[in-house]
Amino acid sequence: MASDNEAKSSSPCLKNFKLYETSSNFYMIGWEKSRKIWRVLKIDRLEPSELNILEDSATYSEVECSDLLRRVHEGNKSTGGLKFVTICYGVVGFIKFLGAYYMLLITKRRKIGTICGHAIYAISKKEMIPIPNSTIRANMGYSKNENRYKKLLRSVDLTKDFFFSYSYHVMHSVQKNLCHHEAGQVLYENMFVWNEFLTRGIRNHLKNTLWTIALVYGFFKQVKLSLSGRDFKLTLIARRSRHYAGTRYLKRGVNEKGRVANDVETEQIVCEDAPEGCLMQISAVVQNRGSIPLFWSQETSRLNIKPEIILSKKDHEYHATRLHFENLVKRYGNPIIVLSLIKTREKKPRESILRAEFANAIAFINKDLTEENRLKFRHWDLSKYSKSKSTDVLSRLRKVTADALNLTGFFYCQVAAPSCTKGLLNLSFFENSEKGDCSIQNLHHTPKDAERETRHDSSGLDAAGNHIVKPPMFQSGVLRTNCIDCLDRTNVAQYAYGLVALGYQLRALGFIESPNIDRDSLLGADLMKLYETMGNTLALQYGGSVAHNKIFSESRGQWKAATQSQEFFTNLQRYYNNAYVDPEKQDAINVFLGHFQPCQGKPALWEMDSDQHYSIGRHSFNFADETSRSILKRSLSEGNILCENNSPMEATDVGQKEDNYNPYNPLPDMSQCGERGLSESTPEISTGERKLSYPRYTPSVSSLRIFPQLDRYLEGDPIHLNEHRDSSNCSNFFDEDWLSSSENSSEEEAYERSTLIKAGMSWNSVLTGLGTESSPSASASGSSMKNSEILAEFSDSFVQWVTDGETMFH
């Protein structure tokens, strides 16, 4: 066997696995890319309802591993021997409903890109395998509810919009990966790792993450572009938060821990192609979108396409809102720039109710913050000005976002190309720096600094032919954009920000002299296509339809009648999914994330009238009280529906360590501004107030504007201080009304085992399977989220259209 020292020095990263079975155990064999280090994991199949896993501490060679499997086969001949089950590429996790445990495996993957030499993968096929053997399962029996939970979990389509990496922490931004080195459990506790709950049991038991992969959900797209004869890769990543996750009308606003619905981190990465041995330049910028951090909701209605917006809970001290912004500061540093695109004036107040209350919240929070740490807040009625033929919305958005970028800066550094293929990214410049991290104040550069420092030959070589080493730059703070759904208008604003950032990124890399990129250029069109694709993907996930892309379509000169027709069908598709499909989709998300954990003798998930997360089994709650439950229609808080269960998977949630890391600068002391946040494992019960709570006062507007240089660009409504409020400069925002938007506002399938499992399989076939990269067969699993009874009301073609998330025209 390989020595322990060799194993430690090589830091094994298992990327390939083979699963074998006997009547009593599963044996998973994993090896690293070099095939020098092999490990063995044993899973007990005789235990009906518990998860017993044993990891062999020894490190094997390939020959030794084959010999071990041969001996296991010989020892189990009387019960059928050792059989090859499937090739796999990582464990997604383990889950239990009402009976046995199941194992979720990736059985086929595809490469979708690289970041600094590290491969990023998506899932092509997956399998859900019951742990107990067939005899044990036959004795247990399966209830109708068990099968329904299995079908619900399988409806979460892991082959769509999930991605992972073995060697790169794709749940983190490039800047955080380079500035802070995390491993093991901490990575999974990240807010963007969606299978944290599914892997918790095995991680807590083994104290490592060798066998599991961390799944990020959202969007990943990488394209190779060329400019001035030089190639570079442009990568766009959207990471959806697993906290307070769900569908459009079922998850709105903020919960009591400060988590908001539809919280998405967007990262735009530019990386040049460089030969091995040369310095490779990389730049990244991060922005954020998320629901308005107030307690508000909308009731799903089959009769009303635009349900009323309700301020559903009073929070006079804005504790939840404060917690949300504290979390943003911990994640990104200061300043936090808030761009709100909701409507200012309406004949019947809907969005404007939230607009006024959001302004109140920001003014209230800013009173307790120092001037440099105050939230920078802007209101723009984008919908209003998109209707004006004389207003170029994208041009004006670019001017606003350029100033936001100048406040936060962006990330840039140089790394040696060979170092990017050996383990995780590591930059010695940071490690040797004065304080050993990236929080050094004098390392923060703005785009203007970058322009001054990068005036050199575009080849990156000095007069002597040596590589020019440029100082790194860091992003500190973030632009947070929201509309109502944070889908349509928000995506337009994020594109405008991305276009401005791309110019400065390419300027820093030495590709262009001027940071201004014409949106009508080929490069601008490529970026617009990326953001449009991302917007459609996120809109399908949260809203049930593609995004409203009216502004993008008009910018490309698309026929107006065709645009209006597509907008109509997008509205129809979104309405149908929100009214008919989303409840079951939300149930599936709650099961996958562990927010609801089934328990014998307790109400099933579909028997509950709402998405409220009650603590079943640990707190006394009268489920017979239909009156008290009927008014709680929408989830306003987050937590787990726990159950009495002593299984290993019932480990308590660990603290969210990623929230305590700030790679930028020391945090302002916001602890005195309100109560501290609840732990992530704290069950919550929302008050569920349904009374409409109107704003307590009109928005207070500071006379100190954060972007005074933009006054000459903007044509908005006059700004007035609230005469009933202190006129001190505490709100730190101003209001402009000139931007635009296009937003309006069965029975269980039989489990199929792999065709590779055959009773008559010879031992030679098993050994052959150990070294063969053949494609496994995956079990058939449902991937669509449907309510069959409701869908029966509509034609097959219509149902297919709305559930597949496609447009009607091709």
Side-chain angles (χ1 to χ4, degrees):
M1 282 179 282
S3 67
D4 291 340
N5 290 335
E6 181 182 350
K8 291 179 181 179
S9 63
S10 59
S11 301
C13 177
L14 307 183
K15 298 183 178 181
N16 298 277
F17 306 87
K18 292 233 168 81
L19 184 67
Y20 299 85
E21 68 173 359
T22 65
S23 61
S24 56
N25 293 292
F26 279 120
Y27 292 89
M28 183 172 287
I29 311 300
W31 65 95
E32 63 168 4
K33 186 176 181 180
S34 68
R35 305 181 72 88
K36 292 181 179 179
I37 296 178
W38 295 66
R39 300 293 297 269
V40 179
L41 188 72
K42 184 169 72 172
I43 305 170
D44 182 13
R45 302 188 66 203
L46 299 179
E47 171 57 51
S49 58
E50 298 297 329
L51 185 62
N52 294 330
I53 302 177
L54 178 64
E55 182 181 36
D56 193 334
S57 60
T59 300
Y60 295 90
S61 67
E62 185 171 1
V63 174
E64 291 169 337
C65 193
S66 296
D67 184 62
L68 174 65
L69 292 177
R70 190 184 302 276
R71 286 187 277 117
V72 171
H73 175 67
E74 294 294 331
N76 287 271
K77 274 189 173 181
S78 61
T79 56
L82 184 70
K83 300 174 184 178
F84 174 61
V85 179
T86 185
I87 284 178
C88 54
Y89 298 97
V91 178
V92 173
F94 296 85
I95 192 167
K96 174 183 178 180
F97 304 118
L98 300 172
Y101 269 96
Y102 300 87
M103 176 167 52
L104 280 68
L105 301 176
I106 298 173
T107 55
K108 191 174 182 179
R109 69 189 178 195
R110 63 186 185 277
K111 185 176 178 180
I112 57 176
T114 60
I115 299 179
C116 295
H118 298 267
I120 312 297
Y121 297 96
I123 300 173
S124 295
K125 289 183 180 180
K126 84 282 187 188
E127 284 205 41
M128 181 175 171
I129 301 177
I131 298 299
N133 63 39
S134 57
T135 302
I136 299 293
R137 298 201 306 273
N139 292 335
M140 293 174 63
Y142 285 92
S143 67
K144 183 180 293 186
N145 281 356
E146 176 79 6
N147 290 333
R148 189 166 176 177
Y149 280 121
K150 288 164 61 180
K151 183 178 179 181
L152 199 61
L153 185 70
R154 284 173 173 164
S155 71
V156 178
D157 192 354
L158 297 180
T159 67
K160 184 181 295 184
D161 306 330
F162 285 90
F163 49 95
F164 67 96
S165 177
Y166 298 102
S167 56
Y168 180 79
H169 300 157
V170 74
M171 72 291 294
H172 290 164
S173 66
V174 171
Q175 177 169 326
K176 186 169 183 179
N177 277 328
L178 285 168
C179 298
H180 189 68
H181 307 292
E182 292 180 349
Q185 303 259 22
V186 176
L187 292 173
Y188 286 74
E189 291 153 16
N190 184 282
M191 64 187 293
F192 301 119
V193 176
W194 274 55
N195 61 332
E196 187 279 332
F197 165 73
L198 297 176
T199 60
R200 193 184 302 163
I202 184 174
R203 288 185 291 110
N204 288 343
H205 181 67
L206 300 182
K207 307 302 180 185
N208 67 50
T209 57
L210 278 176
W211 306 91
T212 57
I213 52 95
L215 282 181
V216 179
Y217 183 49
F219 176 81
F220 184 99
K221 183 68 175 179
Q222 185 172 87
V223 294
K224 189 171 184 178
L225 302 174
S226 181
L227 191 62
S228 303
R230 297 172 61 189
D231 296 333
F232 66 93
K233 290 178 181 177
L234 176 61
T235 307
L236 190 61
I237 304 175
R239 307 175 179 95
R240 299 185 66 92
S241 172
R242 63 181 168 88
H243 301 309
Y244 202 48
T247 56
R248 185 185 181 205
Y249 286 144
L250 294 172
K251 294 294 181 182
R252 287 297 215 194
V254 71
N255 69 13
E256 293 170 2
K257 298 170 188 171
R259 305 294 188 178
V260 296
N262 201 24
D263 190 339
V264 184
E265 176 183 277
T266 302
E267 183 177 24
Q268 180 175 296
I269 306 171
V270 179
C271 183
E272 71 170 342
D273 281 348
E276 188 171 325
C278 297
L279 286 178
M280 181 183 66
Q281 300 180 97
I282 185 169
S283 175
V285 65
V286 171
Q287 54 182 317
N288 176 266
R289 69 170 76 182
S291 189
I292 297 172
L294 300 170
F295 290 105
W296 64 281
S297 62
Q298 284 179 286
E299 294 291 343
T300 302
S301 172
R302 299 183 187 180
L303 303 177
N304 187 1
I305 294 181
K306 298 179 69 174
E308 297 298 321
I309 292 175
I310 301 171
L311 283 169
S312 45
K313 178 181 177 182
K314 296 179 181 179
D315 185 8
H316 295 286
E317 301 294 319
Y318 298 108
H319 293 305
T321 308
R322 192 190 309 275
L323 284 174
H324 173 68
F325 285 113
E326 285 180 354
N327 179 263
L328 285 180
V329 172
K330 291 175 183 178
R331 286 157 59 185
Y332 304 112
N334 272 313
I336 302 299
I337 306 167
V338 182
L339 176 58
S340 182
L341 306 173
I342 59 180
K343 296 177 182 178
T344 301
R345 292 183 178 88
E346 300 168 293
K347 292 182 179 179
K348 182 178 181 180
R350 294 178 71 256
E351 295 186 16
S352 55
I353 295 174
L354 290 179
R355 174 196 175 282
E357 187 71 354
F358 198 12
N360 295 344
I362 295 296
F364 189 90
I365 293 171
N366 273 343
K367 286 193 309 177
D368 299 323
L369 299 177
T370 60
E371 185 174 341
E372 64 271 17
N373 291 329
R374 286 175 185 161
L375 305 171
K376 321 297 183 187
F377 195 31
R378 309 199 70 180
H379 275 308
W380 287 344
D381 187 345
L382 196 151
S383 181
K384 173 183 175 181
Y385 286 92
S386 67
K387 301 172 184 177
S388 172
K389 294 181 180 180
S390 61
T391 303
D392 187 343
V393 174
L394 289 175
S395 293
R396 295 194 176 184
L397 273 172
R398 287 184 64 176
K399 294 169 184 175
V400 174
T401 54
D403 288 278
L405 182 68
N406 192 53
L407 285 175
T408 65
F410 62 92
F411 179 72
Y412 166 84
C413 75
Q414 294 171 299
V415 292
S419 68
C420 296
T421 59
K422 298 178 181 179
L424 290 168
L425 290 173
N426 190 349
L427 203 58
S428 59
F429 180 90
F430 299 149
E431 293 180 343
N432 298 329
S433 63
E434 208 173 306
K435 296 184 181 180
D437 59 29
C438 299
S439 62
I440 306 170
Q441 297 299 315
N442 60 9
L443 288 183
H444 175 66
H445 287 56
T446 67
K448 290 183 179 179
D449 297 326
E451 189 170 348
R452 289 193 297 268
E453 293 176 353
T454 56
R455 296 187 181 278
H456 58 78
D457 188 284
S458 61
S459 65
L461 303 176
D462 59 19
N466 298 318
H467 291 285
I468 299 173
V469 179
K470 294 180 285 186
M473 297 181 290
F474 301 94
Q475 177 176 343
S476 178
V478 74
L479 173 65
R480 182 199 192 274
T481 308
N482 73 265
C483 45
I484 286 296
D485 298 325
C486 302
L487 299 177
D488 312 323
R489 285 171 280 186
T490 294
N491 202 58
V492 173
Q494 288 208 325
Y495 160 71
Y497 185 76
L499 185 61
V500 172
L502 181 61
Y504 282 101
Q505 289 177 291
L506 291 174
R507 178 66 180 85
L509 268 64
F511 276 71
I512 55 179
E513 291 296 327
S514 171
N516 297 319
I517 298 177
D518 188 346
R519 74 167 186 265
D520 295 325
S521 66
L522 184 60
L523 189 57
D526 288 336
L527 188 69
M528 181 182 289
K529 185 177 180 181
L530 272 181
Y531 273 87
E532 190 172 3
T533 305
M534 179 186 74
N536 288 336
T537 300
L538 298 180
L540 281 165
Q541 293 167 6
Y542 182 64
S545 77
V546 297
H548 289 281
N549 293 311
K550 178 181 177 182
I551 294 179
F552 290 151
S553 299
E554 292 179 348
S555 177
R556 290 190 294 263
Q558 187 171 321
W559 186 34
K560 187 175 182 180
T563 300
Q564 291 175 339
S565 176
Q566 187 58 59
E567 293 291 291
F568 169 77
F569 285 112
T570 297
N571 279 335
L572 180 60
Q573 185 181 17
R574 188 173 293 184
Y575 156 74
Y576 176 86
N577 278 281
N578 295 163
Y580 294 94
V581 180
D582 280 359
E584 188 169 342
K585 187 176 179 180
Q586 184 68 58
D587 287 347
I589 292 173
N590 289 342
V591 170
F592 185 86
L593 294 176
H595 295 331
F596 180 91
Q597 299 173 36
C599 191
Q600 292 282 5
K602 302 298 180 181
L605 182 57
W606 44 87
E607 294 173 353
M608 303 178 69
D609 288 345
S610 72
D611 187 39
Q612 297 295 318
H613 297 156
Y614 294 104
S615 294
I616 300 178
R618 296 189 181 275
H619 299 274
S620 58
F621 183 83
N622 184 9
F623 282 90
D625 188 356
E626 295 296 333
T627 303
S628 65
R629 280 198 294 135
S630 62
I631 63 173
L632 301 173
K633 298 293 186 183
R634 295 294 171 260
S635 179
L636 306 173
S637 61
E638 177 191 49
N640 290 345
I641 307 181
L642 301 174
C643 55
E644 298 285 356
N645 190 337
N646 297 321
S647 66
M649 291 296 291
E650 195 189 1
T652 56
D653 201 357
V654 291
Q656 301 304 315
K657 298 182 181 179
E658 88 281 2
D659 290 341
N660 298 322
Y661 169 68
N662 175 16
Y664 313 102
N665 51 23
L667 295 176
D669 184 9
M670 299 180 74
S671 60
Q672 297 179 358
C673 301
E675 299 176 0
R676 304 303 299 171
L678 303 172
S679 70
E680 289 301 332
S681 59
T682 306
E684 299 179 357
I685 300 180
S686 169
T687 60
E689 295 186 50
R690 308 308 302 164
K691 295 183 179 179
L692 182 61
S693 176
Y694 288 97
R696 294 180 291 278
Y697 51 84
T698 57
S700 171
V701 184
S702 170
S703 58
L704 176 63
R705 302 183 175 191
I706 61 169
F707 301 139
Q709 67 272 33
L710 288 184
D711 289 351
R712 63 184 182 275
Y713 302 135
L714 307 181
E715 300 172 1
D717 298 328
I719 301 168
H720 303 284
L721 286 174
N722 188 331
E723 61 184 357
H724 302 294
R725 297 281 295 172
D726 184 3
S727 61
S728 63
N729 289 329
C730 65
S731 57
N732 202 16
F733 73 94
F734 70 100
D735 207 319
E736 292 297 342
D737 262 347
W738 54 268
L739 295 180
S740 65
S741 173
S742 58
E743 182 173 19
N744 299 302
S745 220
S746 92
E747 290 298 316
E748 168 64 14
E749 298 174 358
Y751 178 76
E752 297 177 2
R753 293 302 299 269
S754 169
T755 56
L756 294 173
I757 308 175
K758 298 179 180 179
M761 179 180 287
S762 67
W763 171 243
N764 290 334
S765 299
V766 173
L767 287 184
T768 302
L770 179 64
T772 306
E773 299 293 340
S774 59
S775 300
S777 64
S779 63
S781 62
S783 61
S784 62
M785 299 181 177
K786 304 177 183 178
N787 186 318
S788 57
E789 295 178 359
I790 296 175
L791 297 188
E793 302 174 12
F794 299 87
S795 68
D796 293 341
S797 59
F798 183 81
V799 170
Q800 183 179 3
W801 168 58
V802 295
T803 55
D804 290 345
E806 301 290 345
T807 59
M808 274 193 162
F809 304 102
H810 300 279

